Amino acid sequence: MKTETSIQGLSASLAPARSARKTIGFVPTMGNLHEGHMQLVREARRICDVVVVSVFVNPIQFGPNEDFASYPRTLEQDSHLLAENGCDILFSPSVEQMYGKQPRLTNIAVNLLTEGLCGAQRPGHFDGVAVVVTKLFNMVQPTYAFFGQKDYQQLAVIQQLVQDLNIPVEVRGVPIVRAEDGLALSSRNGYLTPEQRQIAPKIYASLLAAQQQLKQSESLTIVLEKLRKSLTDAGFVIDYAEARSPQLQTVTAFDQDIVLFVAAKLGNTRLIDNLQIRYTD
Amino acid sequence: MKTETSIQGLSASLAPARSARKTIGFVPTMGNLHEGHMQLVREARRICDVVVVSVFVNPIQFGPNEDFASYPRTLEQDSHLLAENGCDILFSPSVEQMYGKQPRLTNIAVNLLTEGLCGAQRPGHFDGVAVVVTKLFNMVQPTYAFFGQKDYQQLAVIQQLVQDLNIPVEVRGVPIVRAEDGLALSSRNGYLTPEQRQIAPKIYASLLAAQQQLKQSESLTIVLEKLRKSLTDAGFVIDYAEARSPQLQTVTAFDQDIVLFVAAKLGNTRLIDNLQIRYTD
């Protein structure tokens, strides 16, 4: 595995693959990699000739009161994991390499999809994601790009961005990877105290309970109320617990496929999860 | 010369050039082509293996009270001119081909550079330009793209966009082409009555006079006043007559390289022009 820290180095490393018209698979990450990321890397490895993974903690997608400074940076460990899982090129640029010395004047907004859910609590977050992903796509010029479904709204935003701007990449969503107790894997899980880590799986347990209630024809409104109560009772402070259509439109009843979304805090740690629920008469 | 009207057809036409790693030169236009456009095409022909020209009247860069519906569409004539001047592929998509049936949710804004000058009178105009140029760049994936310096602010916006988003294209600005009497060539010149066409060259004459006054050490403020007066006296209604730095920052004195910008109307026809003036002690 090669490691590149400059855009020029990345281009040079990719030149032979491009000349040979090989397929390039790309997994953008913020590092502190876990099995969820490795699932993306293995999926890229399975489909593509060349696998590129970026590790970049993107400052412009963090709000002023968020955890940019303290976000875990574990490049050495990430590098070992990536090499073991079939990554060919690790791209880990500095902030200056990514954003240059001149001020950035260009912004990208993906409207509607970024309203509500994480967009409500994190103003500007998805603009920052859209900008950095567009930049990385232009640097790597991948054939396929892989994103986890845990960040469902992010995946929807990127799919819309790619469609609206005709970005020549095929975006693939990869199912959530969970710990044995059901907790969705996330770099932020590392912030949890042992006690909080015991409580955290209740998000997924509550989502499964909600699914069962819906399948037993309880009304969506009541199911969401119960979902919120079970989370609050477990000690979470809820950001949101909502149902949307797979395209993120608001829904008022379980009369179509839906996705249940939760964002909730344990102490200072904000966890998110979601569950896709099929509607079948 | 091939003509393609679909994104798929364009990709198919470009595939052999891409496989052979040929350089692709791209000239995006709104059609109604004149010698100014042909200069861009010839410059592309001179530098590149393959020349692509798009003809697309982009609805989203026109304001509600602007001339989208009446903008001259002369595809047959454009096609002949392009074939004669060395274009290899003419891309002339429909609005539906460019924007699809689903609503577009993504917007691109290039801040600061789009404040003032044409940005003031045409809100949303440069967002529309940024979106369509990004889409076209993603479709054509050119090595070089060519833009006229008559639309100086547009060129600056696109250069910033390309830099900020790391779009893998080299943008080249091409000097303004003028009629013998000095009028900058523009598709909108066709709207002028014979009488207005007689008056129109006074924009360039006034810019040259302003340049001479500046070289003779008259103050910028007074020179701009005289410029405005000469245009008004000639029958123009001025949108703006301003000096900026080459990077479009406001300037108050001629103590560096500057660009003089004019936008002015004759009847309903809005004309723009500019003149770059070197500062040498």
Side-chain angles (χ1 to χ4, degrees), chain B residues 14 21 24 41 57 81 94 180 214 223 230 244 251 269 277:
Chain B
L14 281 168
R21 313 295 296 163
I24 298 172
V41 174
V57 185
L81 265 177
S94 65
E180 276 193 17
L214 288 168
V223 169
S230 76
R244 295 280 187 111
V251 293
T269 304
I277 305 177

Side-chain angles (χ1 to χ4, degrees), chain B residues 32-95:
Chain B
N32 195 237
L33 303 177
H34 51 63
E35 265 304 299
H37 298 106
M38 289 311 118
Q39 193 68 21
L40 304 178
V41 174
R42 287 189 293 262
E43 186 62 10
R45 182 73 283 164
R46 192 174 70 78
I47 299 179
C48 303
D49 299 326
V50 177
V51 175
V52 181
V53 178
S54 63
V55 169
F56 178 64
V57 185
N58 176 35
I60 70 167
Q61 73 186 66
F62 287 79
N65 298 315
E66 292 183 6
D67 54 348
F68 172 67
S70 62
Y71 196 88
R73 280 132 171 118
T74 55
L75 191 61
E76 202 176 336
Q77 178 190 313
D78 294 345
S79 177
H80 287 302
L81 265 177
L82 289 172
E84 283 164 14
N85 282 273
C87 172
D88 297 306
I89 301 172
L90 162 58
F91 180 49
S92 63
S94 65
V95 170

Side-chain angles (χ1 to χ4, degrees), chain B residues 11-278:
Chain B
S11 293
S13 273
L14 281 168
R18 272 202 237 291
S19 288
R21 313 295 296 163
K22 290 189 175 172
T23 56
I24 298 172
F26 177 46
V27 181
T29 82
M30 298 212 301
N32 195 237
L33 303 177
H34 51 63
E35 265 304 299
H37 298 106
M38 289 311 118
Q39 193 68 21
L40 304 178
V41 174
R42 287 189 293 262
E43 186 62 10
R45 182 73 283 164
R46 192 174 70 78
I47 299 179
C48 303
D49 299 326
V50 177
V51 175
V52 181
V53 178
S54 63
V55 169
F56 178 64
V57 185
N58 176 35
I60 70 167
Q61 73 186 66
F62 287 79
N65 298 315
E66 292 183 6
D67 54 348
F68 172 67
S70 62
Y71 196 88
R73 280 132 171 118
T74 55
L75 191 61
E76 202 176 336
Q77 178 190 313
D78 294 345
S79 177
H80 287 302
L81 265 177
L82 289 172
E84 283 164 14
N85 282 273
C87 172
D88 297 306
I89 301 172
L90 162 58
F91 180 49
S92 63
S94 65
V95 170
E96 190 182 314
Q97 185 64 212
M98 280 298 285
Y99 288 106
K101 287 180 179 175
Q102 302 300 320
R104 176 181 59 93
L105 303 181
T106 305
N107 192 43
I108 302 177
V110 181
N111 299 309
L112 289 179
L113 295 181
T114 54
E115 290 171 10
L117 302 178
C118 287
Q121 293 291 326
R122 307 187 70 185
H125 168 69
F126 287 114
D127 291 11
V129 169
V131 168
V132 80
V133 167
T134 301
K135 286 168 73 74
L136 288 166
F137 281 176
N138 282 328
M139 292 172 193
V140 177
Q141 296 168 51
T143 324
Y144 298 91
F146 301 85
F147 293 85
Q149 288 176 351
K150 184 173 80 70
D151 299 302
Y152 190 103
Q153 190 178 14
Q154 171 178 276
L155 174 59
V157 166
I158 289 163
Q159 282 170 327
Q160 185 75 38
L161 171 78
V162 162
Q163 178 184 302
D164 284 346
L165 298 184
N166 303 85
I167 301 177
V169 58
E170 186 173 326
V171 173
R172 296 276 175 107
V174 175
I176 297 174
V177 178
R178 299 181 180 283
E180 276 193 17
D181 58 13
L183 177 63
L185 298 192
S186 166
S187 299
R188 291 193 170 97
N189 293 349
Y191 296 151
L192 299 170
T193 65
E195 294 71 26
Q196 290 169 335
R197 180 63 189 77
Q198 292 288 101
I199 299 169
K202 295 205 174 158
I203 296 179
Y204 185 52
S206 303
L207 286 169
L208 289 176
Q211 174 175 244
Q212 195 165 17
Q213 292 155 19
L214 288 168
K215 296 281 185 187
Q216 289 162 355
S217 302
E218 287 192 57
S219 87
L220 181 57
T221 311
I222 289 170
V223 169
L224 287 173
E225 269 170 31
K226 286 186 185 172
L227 173 61
R228 290 187 191 106
K229 184 170 187 317
S230 76
L231 291 170
T232 308
D233 288 352
F236 290 93
V237 175
I238 298 173
D239 256 11
Y240 58 79
E242 276 186 48
R244 295 280 187 111
S245 78
Q247 291 74 39
L248 297 185
Q249 280 140 333
T250 52
V251 293
T252 53
F254 181 47
D255 53 6
Q256 58 172 100
D257 293 352
I258 63 168
V259 187
L260 295 180
F261 290 93
V262 167
K265 280 188 168 181
L266 282 175
N268 291 323
T269 304
R270 187 173 178 278
L271 302 174
I272 66 172
D273 202 348
N274 65 78
L275 186 64
Q276 299 177 50
I277 305 177
R278 287 276 186 161

Side-chain angles (χ1 to χ4, degrees), chain A residues 7 18 21 103-112 135 138-139 141 160-161 164-168, chain B residues 7 18 21 103-113 135 138-139 141 160-161 164-168:
Chain A
I7 299 166
R18 274 201 236 292
R21 315 295 297 164
R104 176 181 59 93
L105 303 180
T106 304
N107 192 43
I108 302 177
V110 180
N111 299 310
L112 290 179
K135 287 168 73 75
N138 282 328
M139 293 172 193
Q141 296 167 52
Q160 185 75 37
L161 172 77
D164 284 347
L165 299 183
N166 304 85
I167 300 177
Chain B
I7 299 166
R18 272 202 237 291
R21 313 295 296 163
R104 176 181 59 93
L105 303 181
T106 305
N107 192 43
I108 302 177
V110 181
N111 299 309
L112 289 179
L113 295 181
K135 286 168 73 74
N138 282 328
M139 292 172 193
Q141 296 168 51
Q160 185 75 38
L161 171 78
D164 284 346
L165 298 184
N166 303 85
I167 301 177

